[in-house]
Amino acid sequence: MDIALALSGGGYRASVFHLGILKRLALENQLENVTYISSVSGGSLVTGLIITLNGNSWPTSQQYLDKVYPAAKKVFTTTDLQKALLQRVSENLFLLFGSRAKALSKLIQEKWGVTTNLSQLPERPRWMINATCYETGKNWRFERFRMGDYLFGYSNDTDKVKVADAMTASAGFPGGIGALPLDVSPFHWYEYTATYKANDEVKDTPEGIKARKTSPKTQLYSQTVHLWDGGVYDNHGLEGLYDPLTGWSDKFEFLVVSDAAGRGGMEQYHAGAKALGRMMTGIMMNQVRSLRTRSILESIQNHNQKGIFLQTGKSVSNILKNIQPTPGNTAYIENTLKLQRTIEQFSQGTLSDSQAQAVAAFPTVIRRLTEPEFDLVSQHGFETANAVLSSYYPDQFKYLLSSSAQ
């Protein structure tokens, strides 16, 4: 079963939540089946770290459990990118008024050891690192074999771009880190003259993409592009995986969407810049996420597309009480009745509602986490994946008791 992962943004909260979900998949020996990863911000940070910790390759399930997960925990609980970045700013006040993206990229290289170029990334899974291009207002995608967006154009010169730069561009929230300026003048640029469709003979694979007709771009809109947080455009990282018309089953069989974005609540009105910020980076972005969420769930429930949508903020007990039947899925319905009859048993030892909500309310930061903070967020990711996978796909994923997460 080919699996695609859509790993959302949300700082270290998202990174560690994703680690817990991957741990649940690893216990089912499913990491070997991951063929696509599309990531934003915190999802991009953790994917780059995982690949680096495993010698520039995607880990097997056993490698993840034995080596990568413990090493990632050590990184998140001992290194502090936020503090180090503030130190760089204090040493160079120009960074206080300009972008801090280049400084963050250097820190990721120095402290996390992410020193490779895009062209050195593993071929499998196909990893798409999503940013937002200020000049075009589109989803700018970095991959092993190309980068760009459909409006600006594409380049295959990925041997000249650091993975750490792509990770930083994906995570560079406008107010905190800022845009990563990328000089595009040294690269060769082209645009596609044929559009991919789901039933084309040339499929949406690296080989298929390279085979499509292209024409060189001799005129560039700008010699420099400014790339910032992919979450501004698509915080789920779904753009490269999902087509509302065709779904995703022509690319892979099973989609795991891990949405660890912050869950905003009610706020008192504050006039001025704070009100504008809430409208643009709060309410408007939340609405875009909500529409994408409904679209994915509609594909799963009504069009026989296989996948799950995981979010922070709900305990195992809450999830099991509110699972919805999928028409015609007899195994699911039987398993649901069994789970609902034994909610107390399956919820024993899992996080409470207040703990799950605390994870959802955890601030979007890139500071060092305490071990209890790391364990809480990771455990929430593990338990969420465990409850949803075993409820909706019991033939592939048996329910694991909470002790299996330790």
Side-chain angles (χ1 to χ4, degrees), residues 311-374:
Q311 290 183 309
T312 56
K314 292 185 178 180
S315 66
V316 169
S317 176
N318 194 316
I319 291 171
L320 296 181
K321 287 176 182 175
N322 292 284
I323 45 184
Q324 300 295 320
T326 301
N329 189 340
T330 305
Y332 162 80
I333 295 170
E334 292 175 354
N335 195 61
T336 297
L337 294 173
K338 178 182 176 182
L339 286 173
Q340 288 180 332
R341 286 195 298 267
T342 55
I343 284 175
E344 184 176 346
Q345 174 195 346
F346 287 119
S347 301
Q348 188 172 1
T350 61
L351 301 181
S352 65
D353 286 335
S354 61
Q355 288 174 310
Q357 290 161 10
V359 173
F362 195 86
T364 302
V365 294
I366 54 171
R367 64 162 172 80
R368 182 183 70 84
L369 303 180
T370 65
E371 289 202 15
E373 287 174 333
F374 179 96

Side-chain angles (χ1 to χ4, degrees), residues 32 58 124 180 227 257 320 362:
E32 290 83 347
W58 182 249
R124 180 187 170 103
L180 179 89
L227 308 172
V257 182
L320 296 181
F362 195 86

Side-chain angles (χ1 to χ4, degrees), residues 30 33 50 70 101 108 137 139 148 166 186 208 229 252 255 267 271 275-276 280 282 286 291 297 332 369 374:
Q30 291 288 354
N33 296 328
I50 288 170
I108 291 173
N139 172 229
D229 197 332
F252 46 83
L255 175 63
E267 287 188 19
L276 183 61
M280 298 188 66
N286 283 339
L291 290 172
L297 293 177
Y332 162 80
L369 303 180
F374 179 96

Side-chain angles (χ1 to χ4, degrees), residues 20 38 40 48 56 60 83 96 108 113 141 144 154 180 209 213 231 286 289 292 297 328 371:
S38 183
V40 178
N56 199 42
T60 65
K83 183 177 180 180
L96 184 63
I108 291 173
R141 195 173 303 151
R144 178 184 58 82
Y154 295 94
L180 179 89
I209 289 170
K213 293 181 180 180
N286 283 339
R289 289 197 294 267
R292 288 187 183 272
L297 293 177
E371 289 202 15

Side-chain angles (χ1 to χ4, degrees), residues 65-302:
L65 295 170
D66 293 345
K67 179 180 72 172
V68 175
Y69 181 87
K73 178 176 179 178
K74 183 176 181 180
V75 169
F76 283 112
T77 57
T78 59
T79 63
D80 196 324
L81 292 180
Q82 193 163 297
K83 183 177 180 180
L85 185 59
L86 290 173
Q87 179 65 31
R88 295 282 169 96
V89 172
S90 69
E91 295 168 354
N92 181 1
L93 292 181
F94 173 78
L95 296 175
L96 184 63
F97 303 102
S99 172
R100 293 160 287 283
K102 282 291 186 183
L104 178 59
S105 176
K106 290 185 181 300
L107 288 170
I108 291 173
Q109 295 174 59
E110 295 167 9
K111 295 186 175 295
W112 286 14
V114 185
T115 58
T116 55
N117 296 326
L118 287 173
S119 61
Q120 296 171 289
L121 287 172
E123 292 186 21
R124 180 187 170 103
R126 179 179 167 186
W127 180 23
M128 295 176 279
I129 310 168
N130 297 284
T132 304
C133 179
Y134 178 88
E135 280 73 16
T136 64
K138 303 301 179 184
N139 172 229
W140 183 284
R141 195 173 303 151
F142 293 96
E143 300 188 58
R144 178 184 58 82
F145 67 98
R146 70 169 180 179
M147 64 177 178
D149 68 45
Y150 73 87
L151 196 57
F152 190 89
Y154 295 94
S155 173
N156 299 129
D157 297 329
T158 54
D159 58 329
K160 302 171 185 175
V161 179
K162 291 288 187 183
V163 173
D165 281 351
M167 293 163 62
T168 300
S170 183
F173 190 74
I177 297 170
L180 179 89
L182 180 65
D183 180 5
V184 297
S185 58
F187 307 141
H188 297 91
W189 293 91
Y190 62 90
E191 55 189 348
Y192 294 110
T193 55
T195 303
Y196 163 78
K197 296 188 188 314
N199 58 356
D200 283 351
E201 291 184 7
V202 178
K203 293 296 183 182
D204 189 23
T205 63
E207 295 74 21
I209 289 170
K210 288 180 180 179
R212 283 155 60 188
K213 293 181 180 180
T214 63
S215 59
K217 289 200 75 167
T218 55
Q219 295 289 328
L220 295 180
Y221 176 79
S222 173
Q223 298 299 300
T224 301
V225 293
H226 297 81
L227 308 172
W228 59 22
D229 197 332
V232 174
Y233 188 87
D234 170 21
N235 198 54
H236 288 129
L238 287 166
E239 185 80 4
L241 299 177
Y242 167 69
D243 186 322
L245 294 177
T246 60
W248 56 81
S249 58
D250 65 307
K251 294 183 179 180
F252 46 83
E253 296 173 77
F254 198 90
L255 175 63
V256 177
V257 182
S258 178
D259 177 12
R263 304 281 170 246
M266 298 176 67
E267 287 188 19
Q268 293 289 332
Y269 179 75
H270 296 274
K274 188 170 183 179
L276 183 61
R278 175 164 167 77
M279 287 292 295
M280 298 188 66
T281 63
I283 297 172
M284 292 172 66
M285 289 177 64
N286 283 339
Q287 176 64 1
V288 171
R289 289 197 294 267
S290 177
L291 290 172
R292 288 187 183 272
T293 300
R294 294 175 205 168
S295 184
I296 291 292
L297 293 177
E298 197 272 340
S299 290
I300 294 173
Q301 293 172 5
N302 299 330

